[in-house]
Amino acid sequence: MNGPTDPLDEPGGTRRRGRRTGGDTRAVLLRSAKEVFAERGYEQATVRAIAERAGVDAAMVNHWFGGKEKLFTAAVELPFDPSILVDIVLDGERESAPERLLTAFVSIWDDHADGFAALVRSFSSTASAAEMLRTALSRFVIGEALGRLGVDQPRVRGALVASQIVGLGITRYMLRLEPMSTADPAWVVAALAPTLRRYLFEDLALPPAES
Amino acid sequence: MNGPTDPLDEPGGTRRRGRRTGGDTRAVLLRSAKEVFAERGYEQATVRAIAERAGVDAAMVNHWFGGKEKLFTAAVELPFDPSILVDIVLDGERESAPERLLTAFVSIWDDHADGFAALVRSFSSTASAAEMLRTALSRFVIGEALGRLGVDQPRVRGALVASQIVGLGITRYMLRLEPMSTADPAWVVAALAPTLRRYLFEDLALPPAES
């Protein structure tokens, strides 16, 4: 099985880096990153461990991806950098953050409807993909954006916001339930923004486990 | 490929009904139903066409499933009869329908968390499964329950309700985003019921296409 036909393996079992092209290195790093992030979670997955598994120097992570966070983003296969969402949420009046978040979500995914289905397929098929998406949401979107928005209970509010936004994605791009699937983005934003506003800013009871 | 080793096929290409056991008939009917519902949609898929494809008498549909609607339910592989949701929504004060719907959803799926993931995997993988689930939602839940609840714009309101409930399912059972994944059902119901109440009963703009 592991014969010389696999360009990454030499007969002796060591990998000769010099032969690899840039595209190879990037692809191998990405594959290793998916494995290591899935096995250890974001925090415990070090750049060094990912590079080691790929058989390349750790500096290649910076070279090809610009760091661990961006490597993670690439591994989750989102069609956008989730840190952009943070900027969008924070860039403007606090009260209108729901409209900005919804507008960004719909404008990104309306152009990548098949990508949304692929993402859901991926996290519904493998626990590791679900773990990666959960990390992406918790850490980069909820933790960062809601933390800096200055809301209390960001984890609780973030999970509620995520539930409505993910459900919008499913009904608009996968179930294609009318009129959610074809409605104008402006209508979707107006219909859902009050929900997000309540989840973000109004009084909410804490779940019993946290109270 | 189609040799005598396939118990459903005789060498001559005709199917001998007498040889089939009851379990066979049910399984073959279910397989035909999935195909025919997927190809033609709920309305156009007749009991006769499904029975014909299965090579059994149309009376077998009533015998094994109790009719087309229940055969459809079995084909969608929901762990409950969606018509139960209609009873739940209608059985009590109109104002507290959101609480009843959420309580039913969480109590059903908390016992079938893997089933929810399997359902999503199925409708994210094949257009036909998405089409069947869309039909189940539109026809039996939204059309029937909201129609009888006497709300205006049931299609619009139903799609909004579906977006929040599906998103609850994804975050609780698949992404397992804390605290949504472990929170007490009562907390989930209390947190989301005002959203459903607004979608069901408050003034909503119609999407431009319908106005």
Side-chain angles (χ1 to χ4, degrees):
Chain A
M1 300 291 277
N2 286 317
T5 49
D6 179 343
L8 299 181
D9 284 312
E10 295 297 321
T14 56
R15 293 173 173 211
R16 288 223 323 235
R17 294 166 199 182
R19 284 235 191 131
R20 199 174 286 155
T21 66
D24 284 345
T25 302
R26 193 181 184 286
V28 173
L29 264 175
L30 203 53
R31 208 186 313 147
S32 305
K34 286 181 189 180
E35 293 172 5
V36 178
F37 281 129
E39 289 165 15
R40 309 188 188 176
Y42 182 84
E43 300 299 342
Q44 305 298 321
T46 61
V47 165
R48 199 172 135 183
I50 293 166
E52 251 172 32
R53 175 147 338 168
V56 304
D57 193 274
M60 288 294 105
V61 170
N62 273 323
H63 177 73
W64 285 102
F65 295 95
K68 179 177 171 182
E69 183 179 324
K70 291 211 163 62
L71 175 59
F72 178 78
T73 305
V76 183
E77 295 181 34
L78 292 172
F80 60 96
D81 180 344
S83 65
I84 288 173
L85 286 179
V86 178
D87 298 333
I88 289 167
V89 168
L90 297 173
D91 181 28
E93 295 284 321
R94 191 171 182 275
E95 271 301 301
S96 54
E99 280 82 356
R100 290 195 300 279
L101 190 56
L102 287 162
T103 302
F105 181 87
V106 173
S107 69
I108 287 169
W109 290 109
D110 274 7
D111 289 337
H112 297 86
D114 293 341
F116 190 87
L119 182 69
V120 173
R121 197 153 50 237
S122 145
F123 80 67
S124 68
S125 301
T126 64
S128 58
E131 163 65 31
M132 294 215 295
L133 189 58
R134 180 168 52 243
T135 301
L137 277 172
S138 306
R139 186 182 175 86
F140 300 115
V141 181
I142 295 176
E144 179 79 8
L146 301 200
R148 284 172 57 194
L149 202 58
V151 301
D152 61 329
Q153 316 168 45
R155 225 162 57 108
V156 177
R157 297 181 184 280
L160 290 167
V161 167
S163 77
Q164 177 59 86
I165 289 190
V166 168
L168 162 63
I170 302 270
T171 46
R172 186 170 174 90
Y173 304 118
M174 294 178 56
L175 284 178
R176 298 183 194 270
L177 199 60
E178 286 294 338
M180 196 66 104
S181 49
T182 54
D184 199 70
W187 180 82
V188 174
V189 171
L192 301 185
T195 299
L196 266 54
R197 190 165 290 114
R198 180 172 152 266
Y199 293 159
L200 285 174
F201 302 125
E202 295 183 20
D203 278 345
L204 288 175
L206 279 172
E210 303 208 354
S211 58
Chain B
M1 303 287 278
N2 287 317
T5 50
D6 179 344
L8 298 179
D9 283 313
E10 297 295 321
T14 57
R15 293 169 173 212
R16 289 223 321 236
R17 293 163 200 184
R19 284 236 192 128
R20 198 175 286 156
T21 66
D24 284 346
T25 302
R26 192 182 186 285
V28 173
L29 264 175
L30 202 54
R31 208 186 313 147
S32 304
K34 285 181 191 180
E35 292 172 7
V36 177
F37 281 130
E39 289 165 14
R40 310 189 187 175
Y42 183 84
E43 300 299 343
Q44 304 300 321
T46 61
V47 165
R48 198 172 135 182
I50 292 167
E52 251 172 34
R53 177 150 335 173
V56 304
D57 194 273
M60 287 295 105
V61 169
N62 274 323
H63 176 73
W64 284 104
F65 296 95
K68 177 177 171 182
E69 182 177 324
K70 291 213 164 61
L71 174 59
F72 178 78
T73 305
V76 183
E77 296 180 37
L78 292 172
F80 61 96
D81 180 344
S83 64
I84 288 174
L85 286 179
V86 177
D87 297 334
I88 288 168
V89 168
L90 296 173
D91 181 28
E93 295 285 323
R94 190 172 183 273
E95 271 300 301
S96 54
E99 280 83 358
R100 290 196 300 280
L101 189 57
L102 287 163
T103 302
F105 181 87
V106 173
S107 69
I108 288 168
W109 290 110
D110 274 7
D111 289 337
H112 297 86
D114 293 340
F116 190 88
L119 182 70
V120 173
R121 197 154 49 239
S122 147
F123 79 67
S124 67
S125 300
T126 64
S128 59
E131 164 63 32
M132 294 216 295
L133 189 58
R134 179 169 50 242
T135 301
L137 278 172
S138 305
R139 185 182 175 86
F140 300 115
V141 182
I142 295 176
E144 179 78 8
L146 301 199
R148 285 172 56 193
L149 202 59
V151 302
D152 61 327
Q153 316 169 40
R155 225 162 57 108
V156 177
R157 295 181 185 281
L160 289 168
V161 167
S163 77
Q164 177 60 86
I165 288 188
V166 168
L168 162 63
I170 301 271
T171 46
R172 186 170 176 88
Y173 305 118
M174 293 179 53
L175 284 179
R176 298 184 194 269
L177 199 62
E178 287 294 343
M180 197 66 103
S181 49
T182 54
D184 199 67
W187 181 81
V188 173
V189 171
L192 300 185
T195 299
L196 266 54
R197 191 164 290 114
R198 180 172 152 265
Y199 292 159
L200 284 173
F201 302 125
E202 294 183 20
D203 278 345
L204 288 174
L206 278 172
E210 303 207 356
S211 60

